[in-house]
């Protein structure tokens, strides 16, 4: 069976210039394990099993999304979240907007976030993997708001044409 089907990423568009599905799955074994467990025992239990109990506080505490209260998000907003990580803020953003597109440089994180949102009943989100070349695979002026959390520190070093940035 195709690896993309196994991990449920056949419907996640890939815009990675310096990586591949095979590399993503082989270079991030903890995230792959979390994906497998999330499907069996739920996303929260999977995080705790793979990363420990502190990961729940980091990834699931609603207080961590309080900064969203400062943003002009509404049910008419079409938003983009860049750098979803393991979905720490995705469901909270999606609950405030009409539509949310996501962009994550790690395919495994996109897959986990998709599972997390599906298990939480969130249906107004699309998932895209890309950005390792510092280019956004979206049409200009498509969004009313863009949310980045713990992203910019990864963008300021080196040449975006070089792999690994």
């Amino acid at each position: 069976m195709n690896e993309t089907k196994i991990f449920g990423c056949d419907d996640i568009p890939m815009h990675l210039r310096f990586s591949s599905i095979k590399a993503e799955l082989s270079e991030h074994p903890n995230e792959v394990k979390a994906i497998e467990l999330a499907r069996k025992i739920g996303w929260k239990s999977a995080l705790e099993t793979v990363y420990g109990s502190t990961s729940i506080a980091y990834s699931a505490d609603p207080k961590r999304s309080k900064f969203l209260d400062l943003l002009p998000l509404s049910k008419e907003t079409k938003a983009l979240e860049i750098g979803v990580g393991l979905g720490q803020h995705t469901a909270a953003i999606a609950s405030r907007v009409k539509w949310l597109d996501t962009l994550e440089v790690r395919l495994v994180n996109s897959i986990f976030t998709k599972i997390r949102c599906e298990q939480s009943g969130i249906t107004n989100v699309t998932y895209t993997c890309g950005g390792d070349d510092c280019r956004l695979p979206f049409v200009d002026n498509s969004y009313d708001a863009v949310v980045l959390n713990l992203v910019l520190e990864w963008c300021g070093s080196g040449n975006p044409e070089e792999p690994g940035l």
Side-chain angles (χ1 to χ4, degrees):
M1 179 178 255
N2 182 326
E3 284 177 324
T4 60
K5 289 263 187 222
I6 292 169
F7 288 96
C9 56
D10 54 309
D11 61 345
I12 295 178
M14 289 279 292
H15 299 279
L16 292 176
R17 205 164 144 208
F18 304 116
S19 189
S20 66
I21 292 172
K22 187 174 183 177
E24 281 291 298
L25 297 177
S26 67
E27 292 171 7
H28 305 289
N30 283 341
E31 287 85 350
V32 170
K33 184 176 179 183
I35 290 167
E36 293 167 344
L37 286 172
R39 288 205 169 100
K40 292 176 186 170
I41 62 175
W43 69 266
K44 206 177 254 193
S45 295
L47 281 180
E48 190 166 13
T49 300
V50 174
Y51 300 106
S53 59
T54 57
S55 70
I56 298 301
Y58 180 80
S59 297
D61 185 345
K63 291 182 226 164
R64 292 201 68 241
S65 293
K66 289 293 286 176
F67 74 94
L68 296 175
D69 294 341
L70 303 171
L71 304 180
L73 302 175
S74 73
K75 288 296 184 181
E76 288 78 43
T77 301
K78 183 172 182 192
L80 170 63
E81 180 186 16
I82 299 175
V84 301
L86 294 172
Q88 293 91 314
H89 306 295
T90 307
I93 297 167
S95 72
R96 296 166 184 246
V97 300
K98 180 179 184 177
W99 192 260
L100 177 63
D101 289 334
T102 65
L103 179 66
E104 171 58 48
V105 75
R106 283 188 175 174
L107 176 62
V108 288
N109 288 355
S110 282
I111 296 168
F112 188 88
T113 299
K114 181 177 186 238
I115 293 167
R116 182 175 177 164
C117 286
E118 288 171 350
Q119 290 178 355
S120 300
I122 305 295
T123 60
N124 63 330
V125 180
T126 60
Y127 309 88
T128 304
C129 181
D132 63 343
D133 60 359
C134 297
R135 290 177 175 83
L136 300 179
F138 304 107
V139 176
D140 288 349
N141 300 313
S142 298
Y143 302 100
D144 304 306
V146 179
V147 179
L148 297 93
N149 184 47
L150 301 172
V151 171
L152 296 177
E153 66 270 24
W154 297 100
C155 299
S157 60
N159 178 353
E161 297 297 319
E162 294 297 319
L165 298 177

